[in-house]
Amino acid sequence: MKINGKYYFLKLLNALLLLAMIFGCNKNAHDSQKMMTLDAVAYVVDFPKTFVLQNKEDTEIDIPGVWDFVIQDSMMILSTRNSHGVWKFLSLPEHRELGNFLTVGGGPLELSSQPSVSDKVKFVKEGNHLQAYLYDFGYGKLFRIDIGKTILDQDLSMKIINDALPKYLFDFLVIDSTSYFCKEIANMETQQMRYLLSKGEKSIISPMQKLNAATVTANMDHNILSTMTRWSDKHKKVVEMHFGLNFINLYSLDNSSSKTICVGKRPDNIADIESLALEDRMFQFSDVRIYDDFFGVVYVHEQESVYKNTRKNLPSILLFDWNGNPIAELNSDSFITSFDIDFTQGELYTFDVKSDEFAKYDIADILLEIRSHQFEQGIDGND
């Protein structure tokens, strides 16, 4: 029998090509599982403007048990570890006490635990009153708190908006009156799955699908995937800040834009982090705050073992516009874990949960310079 050498060569070539395709698909699948990034990645190694925070002022705020704060509607709202009067309200700029409200307990208008004032909560102005929409992690409820009426009457004005939400969500955002962003643990604690929940129906948009593919190895630390997530009503975008990865994901819910902002020259790989002992991993970011014209993160970039004990690196606050472009870096002169801005007074407040130190800085000139730079660059914070 005569053997057709060309025929068998082509058969062999096709087999090799098929194997290459299978290997390539498997590699791409593995890459998507170990890289929690979006298709477009922007690398940030420096900022157009750099400022050093100076002339720190003591706020004289000394309240035991505080662990979080926000500035809303000329007020500072503090999260405390108290079981009664969980949230404390102060006027700005005087820091005059306006009341303590919310209770942890089993009653219909009580909470399962002490909630953050910056996470899983949405503040909106409705009429003349500030409202807070607060998700309860343990009860799966959404509450609405009329803050203006509460302070005016010195009596909690609160009602249940939804009592059938999933419990124990890792992230929760109120998008509108009927739609929510949710993130929950899944697949034997190897993934954290994002989805939109609207009138009981779940949906997953393209950026979520890509991020949901990220996977940790079974029985490894799923907190590698954890993020602090915020929603901008004005820009209709989600910001996801990672605690232990060196990038931020920014995307719209209509699939019109998505970007990964990598602080450095190479995005962190989940497999590389898994190969390190817990104490040898990096703690990258500790806080994210959103504003009309930009958003900001506290950049720590310190090894976990050092951060938990002595702390060496003074953090900085990194500001980005809503297209993900770097705007400014604010270098701190002390250790901080969170921040917020009082735009009315032109003051930056910082808090360090380890030392309980509240400080403030006059940044009116810095804000003016940032706005001037954005104007010169044709950036107004809008898309």
Side-chain angles (χ1 to χ4, degrees):
M1 182 175 68
K2 185 177 180 181
I3 298 175
N4 188 330
K6 183 177 180 181
Y7 170 77
Y8 282 104
F9 173 76
L10 290 174
K11 290 274 287 183
L12 177 62
L13 182 61
N14 286 334
L16 290 173
L17 287 173
L18 181 60
L19 286 171
M21 289 174 62
I22 292 171
F23 175 79
C25 289
N26 288 338
K27 183 179 184 299
N28 289 337
H30 181 266
D31 288 346
S32 68
Q33 291 174 349
K34 296 303 179 182
M35 295 295 296
M36 198 157 59
T37 54
L38 298 166
D39 290 334
V41 181
Y43 299 92
V44 177
V45 293
D46 52 28
F47 285 76
K49 298 285 182 180
T50 299
F51 305 93
V52 177
L53 296 175
Q54 296 176 325
N55 303 318
K56 178 171 68 175
E57 297 181 45
D58 183 3
T59 63
E60 299 183 355
I61 298 173
D62 184 16
I63 300 169
V66 171
W67 60 281
D68 191 20
F69 82 105
V70 293
I71 292 172
Q72 290 285 339
D73 198 29
S74 298
M75 283 186 293
M76 178 181 286
I77 311 173
L78 309 169
S79 294
T80 73
R81 303 193 188 279
N82 301 328
S83 294
H84 298 277
V86 180
W87 282 6
K88 190 176 188 70
F89 297 82
L90 303 178
S91 67
L92 288 177
E94 305 89 355
H95 307 153
R96 178 171 50 87
E97 292 195 14
L98 302 174
N100 310 298
F101 305 97
L102 299 180
T103 300
V104 175
L109 294 180
E110 293 180 335
L111 307 172
S112 64
S113 61
Q114 294 88 344
S116 165
V117 289
S118 67
D119 198 37
K120 302 179 183 68
V121 60
K122 180 178 184 177
F123 293 96
V124 293
K125 199 76 174 286
E126 296 178 0
N128 294 322
H129 284 181
L130 181 68
Q131 309 283 336
Y133 289 85
L134 173 64
Y135 167 75
D136 188 283
F137 179 85
Y139 293 150
K141 294 178 181 179
L142 181 66
F143 295 98
R144 185 177 68 191
I145 307 164
D146 187 328
I147 294 174
K149 182 172 172 40
T150 293
I151 292 174
L152 187 65
D153 298 342
Q154 285 298 293
D155 185 40
L156 180 63
S157 176
M158 176 174 171
K159 64 195 249 178
I160 298 172
I161 299 298
N162 191 323
D163 62 359
L165 292 170
K167 296 180 182 180
Y168 313 120
L169 293 174
F170 273 58
D171 273 317
F172 178 85
L173 303 171
V174 175
I175 305 302
D176 56 39
S177 60
T178 60
S179 302
Y180 313 111
F181 171 105
C182 304
K183 187 168 76 163
E184 61 188 25
I185 198 76
N187 295 335
M188 302 295 289
E189 298 191 353
T190 62
Q191 291 178 284
Q192 292 184 14
M193 309 299 285
R194 302 152 183 79
Y195 59 88
L196 294 173
L197 183 64
S198 182
K199 298 178 180 178
E201 298 293 323
K202 293 182 180 182
S203 61
I204 299 175
I205 61 169
S206 179
M208 290 181 180
Q209 194 169 33
K210 187 166 182 61
L211 298 178
N212 287 350
T215 306
V216 296
T217 305
N219 301 316
M220 292 292 283
D221 181 16
H222 63 79
N223 286 312
I224 294 173
L225 307 176
S226 292
T227 61
M228 189 178 282
T229 308
R230 300 290 181 263
W231 162 252
S232 168
D233 270 332
K234 179 178 180 180
H235 300 280
K236 308 301 179 188
K237 288 185 177 181
V238 172
V239 181
E240 291 197 32
M241 178 211 80
H242 295 269
F243 295 99
L245 302 175
N246 67 338
F247 50 83
I248 303 151
N249 286 316
L250 176 67
Y251 55 93
S252 60
L253 295 184
D254 63 0
N255 290 315
S256 62
S257 66
S258 64
K259 177 188 284 188
T260 294
I261 307 162
C262 176
V263 181
K265 298 180 179 179
R266 174 178 172 269
D268 286 336
N269 184 294
I270 294 169
D272 293 340
I273 293 173
E274 287 182 326
S275 69
L276 299 173
L278 289 174
E279 63 270 17
D280 293 332
R281 297 173 185 177
M282 297 296 291
F283 182 45
Q284 299 285 8
F285 303 100
S286 68
D287 192 29
V288 57
R289 301 293 167 122
I290 64 170
Y291 307 103
D292 283 351
D293 295 331
F294 54 83
F295 65 90
V297 295
V298 175
Y299 184 51
V300 179
H301 191 60
E302 187 145 58
Q303 196 174 45
E304 286 278 4
S305 58
V306 177
Y307 182 77
K308 288 178 180 178
N309 296 304
T310 56
R311 292 194 291 181
K312 294 181 180 178
N313 294 342
L314 290 176
S316 56
I317 298 171
L318 309 181
L319 304 180
F320 301 88
D321 69 30
W322 283 102
N323 291 317
N325 301 310
I327 298 175
E329 178 180 21
L330 311 182
N331 292 318
S332 176
D333 61 353
S334 58
F335 292 111
I336 67 171
T337 51
S338 58
F339 77 100
D340 211 343
I341 300 173
D342 178 358
F343 286 93
T344 302
Q345 301 296 324
E347 293 178 329
L348 171 76
Y349 282 79
T350 63
F351 178 63
D352 181 52
V353 74
K354 292 195 171 190
S355 65
D356 294 330
E357 182 185 37
F358 262 111
K360 70 175 180 178
Y361 302 83
D362 183 343
I363 61 164
D365 290 341
I366 292 177
L367 291 174
L368 188 62
E369 192 168 340
I370 288 172
R371 291 191 186 105
S372 176
H373 173 75
Q374 287 185 290
F375 179 77
E376 290 171 2
Q377 298 298 314
I379 303 168
D380 61 1
N382 295 302
D383 301 330

